[in-house]
Amino acid sequence: MPRRNWAGNVRYSARRFHRPTSVDQLRRLVAAAERVRVVGTGHSFNRLGDTDGDLVSLAGLPSEITIDRDRRQVTVAAALRYGDVATRLHAEGYALANLASLPHISVAGAIATGTHGSGEANGNLGTSVAALELVTADGDLLRVDRDIDGDTFAGMVVGLGALGVVTRVTLDLLPTFEVRQYVQLDLPREHVDAALGSAYSVSLFTDWRTPRFNQVWRKQRADEAAPSPDWLGTTAADAPQHPVPGMPAQNCTPQLGVPGPWHERLPHFQLGFTPSSGDELQSEYHLPRAAAAQALAALDPIAHLIAPVLQICELRTVAADRLWLSPNHDRDSLAVHFTWVDDPAVVLPVVAAVEERLAPFQPRPHWGKVFAIDPAEVAAAYPRYADFAALLAHLDPRGVFRTELLDRYFPR
Ligand SMILES: Cc1cc2nc3c(=O)[nH]c(=O)nc-3n(C[C@H](O)[C@H](O)[C@H](O)COP(=O)(O)OP(=O)(O)OC[C@H]3O[C@@H](n4cnc5c(N)ncnc54)[C@H](O)[C@@H]3O)c2cc1C
């Protein structure tokens, strides 16, 4: 079991590492622990999941994928990677509504932090969750269901790993579908809104060196018309692209309009490519969707600070939802993402500058990435913050799943 996260910027402080092979073993472990936390695939960039007690990987539990054709749902083992689930679903004629940029991320870890893809009509990955099974602080097994537990269920999906150890997740399915991915180059800033709303899932990439977007990645349903060659003043890429200038495109999902199944087009990167560790840090802020142009203008004065420490900045959209701690709670969102260079000393001051410039838009940081926004501002940005704090106290009165970062944002 790795002792560091994928990016290598977090060395886990746990005293003991565990890999239970059954849920019963896991239940005993949690019940006996003073402090415990699960690690998924380690793709987070902060210490939200870092405990000084016991760190548990669920990778040793059975790799269940059970499809319920009547309900059009699938129940999966929490530690499975989205990419593995997706491959099986497609083979059975099904799809998930959306995926993140990397298919190597665990289902439970992704949902716990509000992980998302893009698309004005697509919610984050947690919005597909229909039920969760979790081991709570006293070692009990709890099942919560969207249709039975209503509002409390909405509080538990984006759970920050703080409400229990999720062992199984039930997800809504769609019939499988085909997607074509087109990359357009050099989009003028004034077309930001039109471009973001132009296809099933759209990503805009900028290096902040000019007021234009270097690339637009349009993932559209295969039966939709291709963009015209001079679409919104862009030119069509005539070869596959990587979002980060100068990086090889062979790790990226197929482009140039070649049709293919949803799970081989909606992520940016291919499952077959193994990103063992990343020389990068990431931050991301969810803002009101309608504020795209103003938010970009607010960042312009610090473009000269951002560009030198940036690999690439990506804009995506996420539909509003009802999940209490979802960064998209009650708000159609613009997600402004930064892939930074792998050097916290130079990146953290720029993160602070970005947060200061974005403050007027009530930014909600990605729970799994680098951020330092004042806890009071985070609390104010979430209408259900107090309800989640109460749920935490109710489900984990001993503070078994508490971590330093969680305590900072949800003080006891
Ligand atoms: C290259 C790369 C690309 C990314 N792309 C995207 C993207 O497109 N969109 C996006 O929104 N984010 C993206 N992310 C961020 C990533 O999706 C989140 O950080 C996500 O939480 C990672 O899941 P994980 O299992 O790897 O995380 P981990 O770091 O292992 O865990 C994350 C949190 O979830 C908790 N957790 C894990 N498993 C469980 C469980 N079974 N029960 C309860 N809690 C659990 C952990 O305790 C921890 O607090 C990306 C990250 C990387 C490195």
Side-chain angles (χ1 to χ4, degrees):
M1 189 170 152
R3 300 298 196 253
R4 284 177 182 272
N5 67 338
W6 174 84
N9 67 314
V10 173
R11 187 178 170 78
Y12 299 130
S13 356
R15 262 173 255 153
R16 290 167 295 274
F17 294 81
H18 307 269
R19 201 173 187 271
T21 53
S22 72
V23 172
D24 279 344
Q25 250 181 40
L26 172 70
R27 293 178 60 184
R28 285 196 293 275
L29 207 160
V30 172
E34 212 176 301
R35 291 262 186 286
V36 63
R37 203 63 194 202
V38 206
V39 61
T41 42
H43 286 94
S44 292
F45 293 85
N46 63 34
R47 293 192 173 273
L48 178 65
D50 186 37
T51 180
D52 58 2
D54 295 274
L55 192 65
V56 183
S57 161
L58 304 187
L61 295 187
S63 304
E64 173 194 2
I65 303 182
T66 308
I67 295 174
D68 181 335
R69 291 185 182 273
D70 294 334
R71 300 181 74 110
R72 217 160 75 177
Q73 290 176 341
V74 65
T75 297
V76 303
L80 285 177
R81 303 179 306 171
Y82 264 101
D84 295 321
V85 172
T87 306
R88 169 74 188 285
L89 290 177
H90 174 63
E92 302 276 349
Y94 292 105
L96 298 170
N98 213 354
L99 290 169
S101 65
L102 194 72
H104 304 71
I105 292 167
S106 85
V107 173
I111 289 164
T113 63
T115 291
H116 60 96
S118 190
E120 311 242 272
N122 294 322
N124 68 38
L125 302 188
T127 60
S128 290
V129 177
L132 293 172
E133 187 182 274
L134 62 164
V135 174
T136 51
D138 46 11
D140 284 348
L141 199 58
L142 173 69
R143 187 174 189 281
V144 285
D145 187 302
R146 186 178 53 202
D147 298 334
I148 299 167
D149 301 290
D151 193 40
T152 309
F153 178 80
M156 295 189 66
V157 178
V158 181
L160 312 186
L163 303 174
V165 179
V166 174
T167 50
R168 297 163 97 209
V169 182
T170 301
L171 300 167
D172 293 330
L173 298 177
L174 301 173
T176 193
F177 57 98
E178 295 237 307
V179 175
R180 289 179 199 267
Q181 177 161 247
Y182 293 92
V183 176
Q184 300 286 131
L185 306 177
D186 210 17
L187 177 81
R189 165 94 63 92
E190 70 254 32
H191 297 312
V192 60
D193 286 318
L196 283 169
S198 67
Y200 188 79
S201 166
V202 176
S203 291
L204 308 186
F205 294 98
T206 175
D207 57 12
W208 281 99
R209 290 181 189 278
T210 67
R212 301 170 79 88
F213 294 97
N214 312 52
Q215 298 179 12
V216 182
W217 286 37
R218 285 184 41 148
K219 300 164 191 283
Q220 56 183 63
R221 285 199 176 244
D223 53 6
E224 284 165 9
S228 62
D230 60 347
W231 176 76
L232 296 181
T234 61
T235 52
D238 57 4
Q241 306 288 314
H242 189 290
V244 179
M247 294 288 281
Q250 75 254 26
N251 301 333
C252 298
T253 45
Q255 303 161 27
L256 302 170
V258 178
W262 58 281
H263 65 295
E264 293 178 3
R265 297 294 182 278
L266 292 177
H268 299 333
F269 301 103
Q270 302 201 43
L271 184 62
F273 138 75
T274 306
S276 54
S277 72
D279 296 332
E280 64 187 64
L281 296 171
Q282 296 184 8
S283 305
E284 190 167 32
Y285 302 94
H286 291 258
L287 317 172
R289 166 65 185 89
Q294 298 98 300
L296 290 168
L299 291 174
D300 274 337
I302 58 164
H304 66 289
L305 300 178
I306 295 173
V309 297
L310 184 73
Q311 299 199 44
I312 201 68
C313 169
E314 179 180 11
L315 264 55
R316 289 178 282 184
T317 52
V318 192
D321 62 50
R322 303 294 302 160
L323 307 176
W324 296 0
L325 279 198
S326 160
N328 317 108
H329 180 85
D330 249 356
R331 194 162 92 174
D332 286 334
S333 305
L334 173 78
V336 185
H337 161 97
F338 301 87
T339 300
W340 306 111
V341 297
D342 181 20
D343 183 353
V346 299
V347 167
L348 293 180
V350 182
V351 167
V354 166
E355 292 180 352
E356 196 187 323
R357 300 297 306 174
L358 293 181
F361 305 97
Q362 272 214 322
R364 294 174 180 160
H366 191 304
W367 292 111
K369 299 186 181 179
V370 174
F371 64 93
I373 298 189
D374 188 80
E377 286 173 36
V378 172
Y382 282 93
R384 303 300 299 268
Y385 175 90
D387 295 321
F388 187 80
L391 189 60
L392 267 179
H394 171 66
L395 281 176
D396 186 15
R398 287 198 292 135
V400 175
F401 299 115
R402 286 270 168 180
T403 64
E404 223 175 282
L405 190 69
L406 188 75
D407 277 344
R408 180 162 144 71
Y409 283 91
F410 295 88
R412 282 184 264 191

